[in-house]
Amino acid sequence: MAYFSSPQPSREFLWDVFQRVDKDRSGYITANELQMALSNGTWAPFNPETVRLMIGMFDKHKNGSINFEDFGALWKYVTDWQACFRSFDRDNSGNIDLNELKTALSAFGYRLSDNLIALMFRKFDRFGKGTILFDDFIQCCIVLHTLTSAFRQFDTDQDGIITIHYEQFLNMVFSLQI
C-alpha cells in the first residue's frame, strides 16, 4: 500500500496511518512493518535495505524501530523524496534511467565521471532492467551522501583528496550506517 501520497497530512491522518502500519500494536514501527506498508510504485515491496536505512536514520532511541514522532519525520522525508524522484523522472516512466540519474546527481552538486555514475547505476538497478526504482533511488542517494560525508571528515582542505591509513579506511567504512 502506498500511504505516502499527501504532501501535508494532518496529525490525525498520520496517527491513523501509523496505527495501521503498527501491526503488533507496540507503539513502534519496525523495518518489517514499514516495508509492508510502502510501495515503490510497482506494487512490489520496498527494498528491505532502503527501509532499514530509513529506520536507522529516524530511530532516535536506537532500538530498531520508530515511534509516532519519528514516523512523522520519516513521512516528510519520503514525501520529499517522492517529489525529488518525480522531478528527475523526465519521461514519467516511474523509474530513473541512467541519464536521469546523471542529471539528478549533478543537480545535487556531485561532479562524478560517467564511468562512476554507470557503476552506481548498475549497483542500484536491483533487477538489472536498466532502471532504478523509487526505493533504490533513495538508497543510492543515502549511500552516496553517507560516503561523501565520511570522506569529507578526512578531506580537511576540501580538495577532494585524502591520505589515510588502511586501518583508518576500514574504521571509516565499518562505522558507517549503510
Side-chain angles (χ1 to χ4, degrees):
M1 229 174 199
Y3 290 121
F4 294 94
S5 59
S6 176
Q8 299 224 338
S10 69
R11 186 169 174 86
E12 293 79 21
F13 176 81
L14 281 177
W15 178 247
D16 181 55
V17 173
F18 181 86
Q19 288 182 311
R20 283 187 274 156
V21 174
D22 181 17
K23 297 289 186 195
D24 65 1
R25 300 287 182 241
S26 66
Y28 289 88
I29 293 175
T30 65
N32 287 340
E33 288 172 326
L34 184 61
Q35 182 189 13
M36 292 171 64
L38 294 175
S39 169
N40 64 15
T42 65
W43 298 104
F46 231 62
N47 182 333
E49 187 59 23
T50 305
V51 174
R52 185 191 65 77
L53 284 171
M54 291 191 313
I55 290 283
M57 291 170 64
F58 292 93
D59 176 12
K60 292 180 188 148
H61 303 96
K62 303 299 178 208
N63 63 359
S65 61
I66 56 173
N67 64 19
F68 177 66
E69 298 305 320
D70 301 335
F71 179 72
L74 177 93
W75 181 284
K76 181 177 179 349
Y77 183 78
V78 172
T79 55
D80 288 349
W81 272 115
Q82 277 184 324
C84 176
F85 182 83
R86 287 184 185 127
S87 75
F88 292 111
D89 179 14
R90 300 279 164 91
D91 60 1
N92 293 317
S93 62
N95 53 54
I96 298 288
D97 66 25
L98 179 60
N99 288 327
E100 291 166 336
L101 179 64
K102 183 177 180 178
T103 300
L105 296 179
S106 179
F108 297 156
Y110 293 104
R111 301 294 172 249
L112 305 171
S113 70
D114 288 346
N115 287 341
L116 182 58
I117 293 171
L119 175 65
M120 290 176 60
F121 188 82
R122 286 189 304 274
K123 171 144 180 80
F124 293 99
D125 175 11
R126 190 169 23 134
F127 298 108
K129 294 184 176 183
T131 60
I132 296 179
L133 300 173
F134 173 58
D135 48 346
D136 298 321
F137 178 71
I138 294 173
Q139 183 182 357
C140 174
C141 294
I142 291 171
V143 168
L144 182 58
H145 175 75
T146 303
L147 291 171
T148 300
S149 295
F151 182 90
R152 285 186 175 155
Q153 289 180 348
F154 290 97
D155 188 14
T156 54
D157 59 358
Q158 301 296 304
D159 67 353
I161 299 170
I162 62 173
T163 302
I164 58 175
H165 299 283
Y166 181 60
E167 193 165 318
Q168 286 175 299
F169 169 74
L170 290 177
N171 190 41
M172 177 182 73
V173 171
F174 289 132
S175 65
L176 296 176
Q177 298 294 315
I178 55 174

